[in-house]
Amino acid sequence: NGTVSHDSIRTNVIILDSLDLYKYIVGGTFFSIDSGFEFKLNPKEVRLNYEDWNVPADNYIRLGGDKIVIQNVELVNGVERITLESKAQAGTPIYVGFRELNLEYLSSMVAQEQTLTGLLHGDINLYPEKDNFHFTSQLAIQKFSMAEIPWGDIGLSVNQNELNRYDVNFSLTGNGNNIRAAGYYSAGDKPSINLTTTISQFNLGALQPIVAAQVEDLKGILSGQIVVEGSPQKPKIDGKIWFRNTHFLSTYLNTAFNITEENISFGPQ
């Protein structure tokens, strides 16, 4: 929806549920200013997953100058917090922060089933310099679950501190899972990848919501290590993964399968 009046445009985005109830609302006003445009959130029109969130009345996002300037854009609902900040000074980052944010607010926007839950904490810093764009990010999800099946705690950092190079660190721990991955992707004229994933233990039952259409009663333990390196177009994959005490029912064949111990090896052809 939108309304034009003099030098301003009032607008909002509304997402309804199946009963036509207001599930998500983000509303605000665009103003024309000398250096470009300014957008202000309407404190009375910020709703996420049926809950109204607080935002300071003096918030704004200023566009059109040498740099995006974001002031007092902080959405708060109890202990949950989403923060956007960008100072006018050159060289300072555009900051996005999350504290105690329930993933259900985000996942339910696009999926009615297989709801994702967990508490998101994170910091993202973007440095939009013309000849040296780079960023740092550090995210963590506590008590991550999918369709009420717990996975554990997730950690993810992706940083670009060098031109065309992206360093990645990932971890999943807890609830019988222990997976870690680390490496980098290098873009540019000769892109390359180097990533090592170590699976000390992964509970295959956590995948049940994802494969429910093909497999039922999935159980077992996955472990191993995989190294991917070289060109993304033709990467070298090396390693081995083990399946132990694995059981599942194929819905297509209507047949149960049991695997006591088997492995799959990856290597040069």
Side-chain angles (χ1 to χ4, degrees):
N1 297 319
T3 303
V4 178
S5 177
H6 302 293
D7 62 347
S8 65
I9 301 175
R10 184 177 179 274
T11 185
N12 58 39
V13 176
I14 298 172
I15 297 178
L16 305 176
D17 65 8
S18 59
L19 299 177
D20 288 337
L21 298 177
Y22 291 95
K23 188 173 184 179
Y24 292 91
I25 304 174
V26 177
T29 304
F30 284 97
F31 296 92
S32 177
I33 59 177
D34 291 340
S35 59
F37 296 93
E38 187 174 272
F39 176 73
K40 292 189 176 184
L41 286 168
N42 183 345
K44 297 182 179 180
E45 287 190 308
V46 178
R47 172 176 290 190
L48 302 178
N49 203 31
Y50 304 106
E51 296 185 5
D52 294 327
W53 286 54
N54 298 316
V55 60
D58 59 347
N59 75 86
Y60 65 80
I61 301 174
R62 193 167 291 165
L63 309 167
D66 294 334
K67 186 173 181 288
I68 297 174
V69 178
I70 306 174
Q71 180 72 29
N72 284 339
V73 178
E74 188 169 58
L75 285 63
V76 179
N77 179 29
V79 298
E80 297 177 276
R81 192 177 302 266
I82 303 172
T83 303
L84 302 177
E85 181 181 84
S86 179
K87 301 184 183 301
Q89 291 86 349
T92 57
I94 299 173
Y95 170 76
V96 183
F98 306 97
R99 294 295 180 271
E100 300 282 345
L101 180 64
N102 191 334
L103 283 183
E104 189 174 354
Y105 288 123
L106 304 177
S107 65
S108 63
M109 291 181 65
V110 295
Q112 299 299 319
E113 299 179 354
Q114 296 187 7
T115 303
L116 307 179
T117 61
L119 297 179
L120 173 63
H121 298 253
D123 300 290
I124 302 172
N125 290 284
L126 305 172
Y127 297 84
E129 299 172 19
K130 184 177 180 181
D131 298 320
N132 186 29
F133 175 88
H134 60 286
F135 67 90
T136 64
S137 64
Q138 187 80 38
L139 302 174
I141 303 174
Q142 298 176 343
K143 299 179 180 179
F144 176 76
S145 69
M146 179 186 296
E148 300 184 352
I149 295 180
W151 283 52
D153 298 331
I154 294 176
L156 174 66
S157 68
V158 181
N159 300 307
Q160 184 197 5
N161 293 313
E162 299 179 18
L163 182 64
N164 293 328
R165 173 169 167 145
Y166 305 88
D167 295 296
V168 179
N169 275 278
F170 169 86
S171 66
L172 169 65
T173 58
N175 293 99
N177 298 318
N178 188 351
I179 300 176
R180 298 183 186 275
Y184 66 85
Y185 170 74
S186 181
D189 295 334
K190 295 182 178 180
S192 64
I193 187 172
N194 189 305
L195 182 67
T196 299
T197 301
T198 302
I199 309 170
S200 298
Q201 180 169 296
F202 178 68
N203 177 12
L204 289 171
L207 298 175
Q208 183 59 66
I210 300 174
V211 299
Q214 294 80 31
V215 171
E216 294 179 356
D217 196 26
L218 177 60
K219 301 174 184 177
I221 299 297
L222 178 71
S223 62
Q225 185 177 72
I226 299 175
V227 178
V228 181
E229 58 184 354
S231 166
Q233 289 75 28
K234 195 175 181 180
K236 174 185 174 183
I237 303 175
D238 196 7
K240 181 180 291 188
I241 56 175
W242 291 85
F243 295 87
R244 292 184 171 89
N245 301 322
T246 301
H247 168 86
F248 62 91
L249 173 68
S250 168
T251 56
Y252 178 74
L253 299 174
N254 194 29
T255 302
F257 292 85
N258 293 284
I259 302 172
T260 302
E261 185 170 317
E262 291 291 345
N263 69 80
I264 300 176
S265 295
F266 302 87
Q269 298 296 320

